Amino acid sequence: IMLRMNQLVYEREMTALQVQEVRERHLKELINTVSELVKAAEVLTDAVPGIELSKEDQVIFRAMANQLYSEAKNIGTMVEEKDYPALDPAYQRLSQTCNACHSLFRF
């Protein structure tokens, strides 16, 4: 909470141009992070044959990796198109997918 408060105070002391620069930098970092997540999701689906899972679990794991990939690509598109209102629900779906997979498959 204090970190968020400090960030809000810090932004209030900045000029509008400085605030815009910070937001643009954060968006670039978000785009880079989403790109890394997309690559990780691709690697996950390729890793399935090397993981000791039942056939049923392999299907579930691949489906979750594909969902992760789709959500990450979706977030990347939203950021590029500056569709900021849609980011929070998309991030929540992505987070739920990650948490569900980690609950089922303790890697």
Side-chain angles (χ1 to χ4, degrees):
I1 294 171
M2 290 305 296
L3 177 60
R4 277 188 274 147
M5 286 179 57
N6 285 337
Q7 289 172 336
L8 292 170
V9 169
Y10 178 70
E11 283 190 7
R12 269 191 242 131
E13 294 173 1
M14 293 189 297
T15 66
L17 181 60
Q18 289 171 320
V19 169
Q20 182 63 29
E21 289 172 356
V22 167
R23 288 184 182 149
E24 287 176 11
R25 188 172 60 244
H26 286 181
L27 285 175
K28 287 178 185 174
E29 290 175 20
L30 180 58
I31 289 170
N32 289 337
T33 303
V34 167
S35 294
E36 289 178 34
L37 185 57
V38 167
K39 289 176 188 170
E42 290 172 342
V43 170
L44 282 174
T45 56
D46 293 341
V48 171
I51 301 172
E52 293 184 27
L53 297 174
S54 68
K55 294 289 183 191
E56 182 180 319
D57 283 346
Q58 286 183 17
V59 170
I60 294 168
F61 187 86
R62 276 196 177 101
M64 294 184 113
N66 287 333
Q67 181 67 25
L68 178 68
Y69 176 83
S70 296
E71 291 296 346
K73 291 288 280 185
N74 188 33
I75 288 173
T77 300
M78 289 175 189
V79 170
E80 289 171 1
E81 294 175 356
K82 297 182 167 99
D83 186 7
Y84 306 129
L87 278 175
D88 189 50
Y91 177 75
Q92 294 301 320
R93 288 189 306 271
L94 178 98
S95 181
Q96 289 169 353
T97 300
C98 289
N99 291 334
C101 189
H102 284 278
S103 290
L104 290 172
F105 307 101
R106 306 244 182 232
F107 296 121

